[in-house]
Short mmCIF file of all heavy atoms in Angstrom, two decimals:
data_model
loop_
_atom_site.label_atom_id
_atom_site.label_comp_id
_atom_site.label_asym_id
_atom_site.label_seq_id
_atom_site.Cartn_x
_atom_site.Cartn_y
_atom_site.Cartn_z
N ALA B 273 -50.36 -137.69 11.07
CA ALA B 273 -50.66 -137.56 9.67
C ALA B 273 -51.24 -136.20 9.35
O ALA B 273 -50.86 -135.54 8.37
CB ALA B 273 -51.62 -138.67 9.26
N MET B 274 -52.14 -135.70 10.21
CA MET B 274 -52.79 -134.42 9.96
C MET B 274 -51.78 -133.32 10.02
O MET B 274 -51.85 -132.36 9.28
CB MET B 274 -53.97 -134.24 11.02
CG MET B 274 -54.96 -133.22 10.63
SD MET B 274 -55.83 -133.61 9.06
CE MET B 274 -56.79 -134.96 9.57
N THR B 275 -50.83 -133.49 10.96
CA THR B 275 -49.79 -132.39 11.14
C THR B 275 -48.89 -132.39 9.92
O THR B 275 -48.59 -131.37 9.41
CB THR B 275 -48.97 -132.70 12.38
OG1 THR B 275 -49.78 -132.89 13.57
CG2 THR B 275 -47.93 -131.59 12.63
N ILE B 276 -48.53 -133.59 9.44
CA ILE B 276 -47.69 -133.62 8.25
C ILE B 276 -48.37 -133.08 7.02
O ILE B 276 -47.78 -132.33 6.26
CB ILE B 276 -47.23 -135.13 8.08
CG1 ILE B 276 -46.29 -135.52 9.22
CG2 ILE B 276 -46.57 -135.21 6.68
CD1 ILE B 276 -45.91 -137.02 9.21
N VAL B 277 -49.64 -133.43 6.88
CA VAL B 277 -50.43 -132.96 5.74
C VAL B 277 -50.49 -131.39 5.74
O VAL B 277 -50.28 -130.73 4.76
CB VAL B 277 -51.88 -133.54 5.73
CG1 VAL B 277 -52.76 -132.76 4.75
CG2 VAL B 277 -51.82 -134.99 5.36
N ALA B 278 -50.74 -130.86 7.02
CA ALA B 278 -50.82 -129.39 7.10
C ALA B 278 -49.45 -128.77 6.70
O ALA B 278 -49.50 -127.75 5.96
CB ALA B 278 -51.13 -129.03 8.56
N PHE B 279 -48.37 -129.35 7.07
CA PHE B 279 -47.06 -128.84 6.75
C PHE B 279 -46.82 -128.83 5.26
O PHE B 279 -46.35 -127.88 4.68
CB PHE B 279 -45.96 -129.63 7.48
CG PHE B 279 -44.61 -129.15 7.05
CD1 PHE B 279 -44.00 -128.00 7.51
CD2 PHE B 279 -43.81 -129.94 6.25
CE1 PHE B 279 -42.77 -127.56 7.15
CE2 PHE B 279 -42.52 -129.60 5.77
CZ PHE B 279 -42.01 -128.42 6.25
N VAL B 280 -47.14 -130.01 4.61
CA VAL B 280 -46.87 -130.14 3.21
C VAL B 280 -47.77 -129.19 2.39
O VAL B 280 -47.34 -128.49 1.46
CB VAL B 280 -47.11 -131.67 2.70
CG1 VAL B 280 -47.13 -131.71 1.22
CG2 VAL B 280 -46.17 -132.55 3.32
N VAL B 281 -49.01 -129.03 2.80
CA VAL B 281 -49.89 -128.07 2.15
C VAL B 281 -49.41 -126.69 2.22
O VAL B 281 -49.43 -125.88 1.29
CB VAL B 281 -51.36 -128.24 2.73
CG1 VAL B 281 -52.26 -127.08 2.22
CG2 VAL B 281 -51.96 -129.62 2.30
N VAL B 282 -48.96 -126.29 3.48
CA VAL B 282 -48.40 -124.94 3.71
C VAL B 282 -47.17 -124.76 2.90
O VAL B 282 -46.94 -123.70 2.27
CB VAL B 282 -48.19 -124.67 5.18
CG1 VAL B 282 -47.40 -123.39 5.37
CG2 VAL B 282 -49.50 -124.54 5.94
N LEU B 283 -46.30 -125.74 2.78
CA LEU B 283 -45.09 -125.68 2.01
C LEU B 283 -45.38 -125.37 0.57
O LEU B 283 -44.76 -124.49 -0.06
CB LEU B 283 -44.28 -126.96 2.10
CG LEU B 283 -42.92 -126.97 1.38
CD1 LEU B 283 -41.99 -125.87 1.86
CD2 LEU B 283 -42.28 -128.35 1.55
N VAL B 284 -46.33 -126.11 -0.02
CA VAL B 284 -46.71 -125.85 -1.44
C VAL B 284 -47.33 -124.47 -1.57
O VAL B 284 -47.06 -123.74 -2.52
CB VAL B 284 -47.74 -126.99 -1.96
CG1 VAL B 284 -48.25 -126.62 -3.33
CG2 VAL B 284 -47.09 -128.27 -1.89
#
Side-chain angles (χ1 to χ4, degrees):
Chain B
M274 200 60 71
T275 307
I276 293 170
V277 165
F279 174 76
V280 171
V281 168
V282 168
L283 180 60
V284 175

